[in-house]
């Protein structure tokens, strides 16, 4: 079978397409690569990882809370109360837990592709994310790379390539942009921009996605179809390959792909493992027989139990020896999934939902315990390889330390990430590009310009001097000014609340990979907001200003613009804060609606006599200050003088401050406080899953 596997792998047609030719260094001549002989015609050149990684996991068990923990304030208070009660009573209550992984043990050598297989819910994702240090559930046992590095070690974790099940990418970027920005944020600062671009081009070639490099990723949020699912998966793998990791861990890379695309993908992984001596572990749902033959090792799981771990080619024979003989002609992967699911060939109501008390699983575990897989050949190889890695362990250890601590000036310097200002700049540019579809979509542009024109028609020339001669006319202009700040600021508030919940997964993924500090993300996003939150308000205000005939002086126009912009930035910050604080779109939307209506109602236009005990809320309403400032700019000294308290009831009587500077100052203060609060929410709220 092993022979068969080899020949099949070497005969594969995609080999020519996705072949990987290793080079010792980064500086690779891409042109030469493209002009290589026919059998390497479209082959690409990848640098080889410097340090091969040997992975050993021993007796790994994992536990999760047995009961669903309702997130939110009430359950947090309940938890704190219970903790206090148990502290007072001296009895430590342990929350009930469910064990989802049971003693998983094995070794993976460089150059091997290990497939984790098992029915749905058997623990594949949990296990692979533990190997990647991305799962924070309580677990016991040991996971070690090169006998010394734990995946939970922050600095080491960043060296592990991890491709999650869901494709976490910016939908509005092109394939090239996606890879290029990752390259700039992740590759050493010592590499030139040309080298980084070249590496992206190499990866595009290696993964066979060069032809879609200028297509956008696409998706629901940007309302555009982009590249296919298989191509997305390749981009996700490409993002990890960029920094040339020795270990690549993948969670269901083939799910949703047709069998040929899946085969191509596994073939690429196989080549990457063999040629680059990389260690590759992937979960896989239902591989075809051709894919199965390409796997080096199989780790079969059933309800968190290890059912088999060893050479994939030896699994059929092993199961036959313990009484599970595969029917002739069947795909071994299908058969092993049936065995792990407790499917005996007869329809069974709960097949696939085995638990350790099921007689089928008990019988299978009993048979395995009685006659464990000896792994003669592979165990021998594992031992040999393990000892060879042990002998080089010190070298790797030294290398790693020097990289980490920068002891070795040159190497440490080479591996330092991009400078802080580069991180901020790249995050800013990436955000601008990502949001170009969202903020300037035809739908949102139509909405704001339609409203601007409608507003101009309804209040047409209402601001000219003659219209202000009466209290009614002045009241109309006051209403127009209130509408102007309310409409523009709420428009921005509502689009800003989506920012962080939408980018939460990306932020968590990139933070786990240690690509930048949270402050770089915050400043990059803030800078990106400035042009995006400026262009539409400035245009809309100009249209309304001209159509409604507001005060025709340059000073009044510029002051109006400043008030509108500060108000929009304040509203945008409030939206970002709500989004960052909740990182959950539905909850953020509910909170934003409540806050928006409260701000509007207490803004001074709708309700003039707010109950005393609630009047403090009006001081928090940024609309109030913006409206007061605009009334001061446009109406002060232009409306008839009040005589005998005749205008006590008018809107103008509500203006609190006569000095526009004070209102500006308060708005600036609110903006600064809100921005700082956004930073704190991200800093302490955007924690790992
Ligand atoms: N954080 C968690 N809290 C509660 N239960 C969890 C948690 N993580 C995993 N589980 C449970 O552990 C079991 C294994 O889940 P896991 O996602 O690892 O399975 P899987 O084999 O990857 O499934 P699939 O193939 O459907 O993705 C499931 O029963 C799941 O509900």
């Amino acid at each position: 079978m092993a022979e068969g596997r080899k020949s099949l792998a070497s005969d594969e047609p995609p080999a020519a397409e996705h072949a990987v030719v290793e080079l010792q260094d980064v500086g690779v001549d891409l042109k030469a690569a493209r002009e290589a002989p026919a059998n390497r015609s479209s082959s690409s050149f990848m640098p080889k990882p410097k340090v091969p990684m040997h992975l050993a996991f021993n007796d790994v068990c994992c536990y999760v809370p047995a009961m669903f923990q309702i997130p939110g304030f009430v359950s947090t208070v309940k938890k704190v109360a219970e903790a206090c009660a148990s502290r007072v009573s001296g009895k430590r209550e342990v929350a009930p837990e469910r064990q989802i992984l049971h003693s998983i043990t094995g070794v993976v050598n460089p150059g091997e592709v290990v497939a984790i297989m098992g029915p749905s819910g058997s623990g594949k994702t949990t296990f692979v994310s533990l190997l990647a240090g991305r799962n924070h559930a309580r677990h016991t046992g040991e996971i070690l790379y090169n006998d010394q590095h734990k995946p939970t070690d922050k600095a080491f974790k960043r060296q592990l390539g991890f491709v999650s099940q869901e494709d976490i990418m910016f939908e509005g970027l092109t394939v090239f942009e996606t890879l290029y920005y990752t390259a700039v944020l992740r590759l050493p600062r010592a590499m030139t921009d040309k080298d980084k671009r070249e590496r992206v081009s190499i990866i595009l070639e290696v993964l066979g996605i060069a032809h879609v490099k200028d297509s956008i990723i696409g998706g629901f949020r940007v309302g555009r179809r982009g590249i296919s699912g298989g191509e997305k998966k390749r981009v996700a793998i490409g993002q990890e390959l960029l920094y040339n990791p020795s270990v690549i861990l993948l969670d269901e890379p083939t799910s949703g792909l047709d069998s040929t695309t899946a085969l191509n993908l596994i073939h690429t992984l196989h080549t990457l493992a063999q040629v680059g001596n990389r260690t590759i572990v992937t979960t896989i749902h239902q591989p075809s027989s051709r894919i199965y033959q390409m796997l080096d090792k199989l780790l079969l799981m059933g309800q968190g139990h290890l059912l088999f771990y060893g050479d994939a080619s030896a699994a059929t024979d092993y199961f036959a020896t313990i009484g599970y003989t595969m029917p002739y002609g069947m795909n071994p992967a299908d058969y092993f999934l049936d065995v792990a699911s407790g499917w005996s060939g007869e329809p069974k109501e709960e097949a696939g939902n085995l638990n350790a008390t099921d007689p089928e699983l008990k019988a299978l575990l009993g048979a395995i315990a009685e006659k464990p897989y000896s792994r003669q050949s592979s165990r021998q190889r594992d031992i040999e390889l393990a000892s060879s890695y042990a002998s080089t362990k010190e070298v790797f250890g030294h290398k790693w330390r020097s990289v980490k601590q920068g002891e070795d000036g040159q190497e440490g310097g080479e591996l330092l990430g991009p400078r802080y200002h580069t991180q901020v700049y790249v995050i800013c540019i990436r955000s601008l590009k990502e949001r170009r579809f969202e903020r300037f979509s035809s739908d949102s542009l139509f909405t704001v310009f339609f409203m601007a024109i409608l507003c101009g028609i309804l209040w047409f020339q209402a601001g000219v001097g003659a219209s202000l001669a009466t209290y009614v006319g002045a009241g109309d202009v006051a209403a127009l000014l209130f509408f102007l700040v309310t409409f523009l600021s709420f428009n921005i508030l509502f689009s800003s609340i989506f920012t962080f919940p939408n980018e939460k997964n990306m932020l968590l993924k990139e933070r786990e990979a240690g690509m930048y500090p949270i402050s770089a993300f915050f400043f990059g996003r803030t800078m990106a907001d400035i042009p995006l939150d400026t262009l539409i308000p400035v245009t809309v205000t100009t249209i309304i200003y001209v159509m409604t005939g507001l005060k025709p002086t340059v000073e009044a126009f510029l002051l109006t613009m400043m008030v509108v912009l500060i108000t929009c930035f304040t509203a945008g910050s409030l939206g970002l804060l709500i989004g960052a604080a909740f990182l959950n779109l539905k909850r953020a939307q509910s909170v934003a609606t409540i806050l928006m209506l409260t701000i509007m109602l207490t803004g001074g236009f709708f309700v003039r006599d707010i109950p005393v005990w609630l009047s403090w809320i009006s001081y928090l309403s940024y609309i109030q200050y913006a409206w007061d400032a605009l009334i001061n700019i446009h109406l002060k000294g232009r409306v008839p003088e009040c005589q005998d308290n005749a205008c006590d009831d008018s809107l103008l009587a509500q203006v609190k401050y006569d000095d526009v500077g004070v209102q500006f100052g308060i708005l600036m203060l609110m903006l600064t406080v809100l921005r700082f609060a956004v930073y704190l929410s991200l800093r302490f709220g955007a924690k790992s899953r």
Side-chain angles (χ1 to χ4, degrees):
M1 180 84 88
E3 280 307 304
R5 188 171 76 238
K6 281 211 169 65
S7 66
L8 187 136
S10 56
D11 291 347
E12 275 313 319
E17 213 178 300
H18 300 137
V20 180
V21 180
E22 65 187 81
L23 285 188
Q24 294 301 326
D25 212 346
V26 179
V28 173
D29 186 353
L30 188 65
K31 194 159 165 274
R34 290 215 180 99
E35 288 166 2
N39 59 345
R40 290 162 41 192
S41 59
S42 52
S43 65
S44 309
F45 289 66
M46 281 284 293
K48 191 177 171 183
K50 283 184 180 157
V51 184
M53 284 281 168
H54 166 263
L55 161 65
F57 38 92
N58 189 20
D59 201 15
V60 176
C61 302
C62 182
Y63 307 83
V64 291
M67 278 186 300
F68 173 61
Q69 315 260 304
I70 303 166
F73 183 69
V74 177
S75 67
T76 310
V77 170
K78 207 172 143 201
K79 254 196 261 170
V80 172
E82 279 170 3
C84 292
S86 63
R87 191 166 273 208
V88 170
S89 66
K91 278 189 226 154
R92 217 172 145 251
E93 296 232 347
V94 182
E97 285 184 323
R98 180 161 71 95
Q99 185 168 2
I100 55 171
L101 291 182
H102 302 258
S103 193
I104 312 288
T105 298
V107 164
V108 189
N109 296 304
E112 282 180 344
V113 176
V114 173
I116 305 176
M117 270 172 47
S120 188
S122 55
K124 303 182 293 293
T125 299
T126 306
F127 184 56
V128 80
S129 56
L130 280 178
L131 295 182
R134 261 76 168 183
N135 192 321
H136 305 287
R138 189 174 83 77
H139 61 279
T140 56
E142 198 174 48
I143 300 171
L144 282 181
Y145 289 88
N146 278 354
D147 288 345
Q148 55 183 339
H149 306 302
K150 290 184 180 170
T152 42
D153 168 7
K154 260 191 181 178
F156 180 71
K157 180 162 69 176
R158 292 167 191 173
Q159 307 299 312
L160 299 173
F162 178 62
V163 181
S164 62
Q165 196 166 349
E166 65 276 17
D167 300 313
I168 305 171
M169 274 173 256
F170 286 117
E171 295 176 353
L173 298 184
T174 65
V175 170
F176 183 85
E177 285 165 350
T178 303
L179 292 174
Y180 174 69
Y181 291 134
T182 309
V184 179
L185 288 172
R186 210 155 184 191
L187 292 178
R189 68 176 69 152
M191 270 179 87
T192 62
D193 187 61
K194 185 168 164 276
D195 283 343
K196 286 173 188 163
R197 284 177 185 274
E198 197 157 88
R199 188 171 284 194
V200 170
S201 304
I202 292 168
I203 301 266
L204 287 167
E205 296 275 334
V206 167
L207 294 175
I209 44 175
H211 62 291
V212 289
K213 78 182 177 63
D214 295 320
S215 305
I216 63 161
I217 301 294
F220 173 74
R221 232 162 35 74
V222 293
R224 282 172 166 76
R225 227 195 89 73
I227 55 174
S228 73
E231 287 161 346
K232 262 187 203 164
K233 213 33 110 186
R234 284 171 188 275
V235 177
I237 295 171
Q239 283 182 301
E240 301 303 312
L241 280 182
L242 275 169
Y243 60 97
N244 204 14
S246 310
V247 180
I248 306 176
L249 303 154
L250 305 99
D251 191 11
E252 311 227 353
T254 58
S255 59
L257 306 185
D258 64 80
S259 60
T260 313
T261 314
L263 180 68
N264 267 333
L265 190 65
I266 295 297
H267 186 268
T268 307
L269 293 177
H270 194 254
T271 319
L272 285 170
Q274 285 203 327
V275 180
N277 221 11
R278 294 174 177 86
T279 309
I280 297 187
V281 180
T282 176
T283 68
I284 193 160
H285 217 70
Q286 209 156 15
S288 65
S289 52
R290 294 177 77 197
I291 290 182
Y292 184 82
Q293 284 172 325
M294 228 180 262
L295 307 172
D296 292 308
K297 278 184 176 169
L298 168 70
L299 193 156
L300 185 65
M301 297 175 82
Q303 284 302 311
H305 294 268
L306 181 63
L307 303 180
F308 177 85
Y309 183 56
D311 290 350
S313 55
T316 320
D317 292 346
Y318 169 68
F319 276 103
T321 62
I322 59 168
Y324 293 81
T325 308
M326 184 176 83
Y328 179 74
M330 197 174 173
N331 171 6
D334 289 342
Y335 181 66
F336 297 141
L337 282 181
D338 287 352
V339 170
S341 306
W343 175 267
S344 54
E346 296 297 321
K348 179 176 179 277
E349 241 174 54
E350 290 187 18
N353 286 331
L354 272 187
N355 61 54
T357 56
D358 274 316
E360 285 89 351
L361 183 60
K362 266 192 161 177
L364 178 58
L365 289 173
I368 291 169
E370 214 165 273
K371 197 171 180 188
Y373 173 58
S374 65
R375 294 193 288 138
Q376 283 310 331
S377 57
S378 64
R379 174 166 280 175
Q380 192 53 43
R381 203 178 68 218
D382 285 350
I383 291 166
E384 281 164 17
L385 281 166
S387 60
S388 74
Y389 284 107
S391 63
T392 51
K393 185 176 99 178
E394 277 315 302
V395 179
F396 296 148
H398 171 72
K399 205 168 204 117
W400 174 249
R401 273 197 300 279
S402 72
V403 166
K404 212 168 119 187
Q405 297 163 0
E407 281 164 12
D408 168 341
Q410 208 192 350
E411 186 156 37
E414 254 176 40
L415 287 157
L416 282 177
R419 289 180 199 285
Y420 188 77
H421 62 81
T422 312
Q423 293 172 337
V424 173
Y425 174 74
V426 170
I427 291 167
C428 171
I429 296 292
R430 190 178 70 171
S431 297
L432 281 172
K433 290 201 170 168
E434 156 67 6
R435 289 164 75 201
R436 61 197 151 178
F437 295 103
E438 186 193 313
R439 195 51 73 85
F440 300 117
S441 71
S442 51
D443 289 350
S444 64
L445 286 182
F446 175 77
T447 310
V448 287
F449 287 111
F450 176 82
M451 290 309 295
I453 304 283
L454 183 68
C455 192
I457 293 170
L458 293 178
W459 273 284
F460 190 70
Q461 296 301 305
V464 294
S467 309
L468 299 177
T470 62
Y471 286 128
V472 175
D476 276 354
V477 174
L480 162 68
L481 298 173
F482 187 83
F483 177 80
L484 180 68
V485 279
T486 312
F487 163 60
L488 285 174
S489 68
F490 288 164
N491 184 40
I492 286 187
L493 188 152
F494 255 89
S495 50
S496 307
I497 59 169
F498 295 94
T499 302
F500 291 130
N502 276 339
E503 288 179 19
K504 175 184 157 193
N505 287 340
M506 178 63 82
L507 179 63
L508 291 175
K509 175 182 144 177
E510 295 187 334
R511 291 277 300 137
E512 290 267 19
M515 280 163 72
Y516 46 74
I518 211 101
S519 62
F521 179 78
F522 171 77
F523 287 121
R525 288 306 319 241
T526 303
M527 277 167 56
D529 282 343
I530 294 172
L532 290 174
D533 290 350
T534 301
L535 219 58
I536 289 179
V538 166
T539 319
V540 168
T541 306
T542 309
I543 294 173
I544 293 179
Y545 205 98
V546 173
M547 287 185 76
T548 58
L550 288 173
K551 200 171 180 179
T553 65
V554 174
E555 188 196 1
F557 179 77
L558 292 179
L559 282 174
T560 306
M561 224 33 118
M562 279 171 69
V563 172
V564 167
L565 287 180
I566 295 177
T567 313
C568 287
F569 291 155
T570 309
S573 310
L574 185 61
L576 288 179
L577 176 62
I578 297 168
F582 293 94
L583 287 178
N584 170 320
L585 212 45
K586 276 201 163 168
R587 219 174 297 160
Q589 264 176 309
S590 313
V591 174
T593 308
I594 294 171
L595 275 178
M596 186 191 83
L597 292 174
T598 310
I599 288 169
M600 197 168 79
L601 290 175
T602 55
F605 181 77
F606 290 107
V607 186
R608 290 184 219 163
D609 286 324
I610 298 176
V612 180
W613 58 276
L614 259 184
S615 59
W616 58 270
I617 294 183
S618 67
Y619 290 98
L620 299 178
S621 170
Y622 64 84
I623 292 281
Q624 161 110 339
Y625 303 104
W627 187 46
D628 285 354
L630 289 180
I631 284 185
N632 270 310
I633 295 165
H634 289 279
L635 300 182
K636 195 174 160 194
R638 298 180 77 205
V639 292
E641 285 291 319
C642 271
Q643 282 170 6
D644 306 329
N645 296 335
C647 62
D648 265 6
D649 288 342
S650 89
L651 285 167
L652 305 179
Q654 302 299 311
V655 178
K656 283 199 173 73
Y657 302 104
D658 234 4
D659 185 357
V660 178
V662 174
Q663 286 136 351
F664 266 124
I666 295 172
L667 283 172
M668 284 303 291
L669 184 69
M670 281 185 151
L671 175 61
T672 315
V673 170
L674 282 171
R675 281 279 157 178
F676 187 60
V678 171
Y679 171 73
L680 291 181
S681 296
L682 277 180
R683 183 103 192 72
F684 299 106
K687 292 262 162 66
S688 319
R689 281 158 273 203

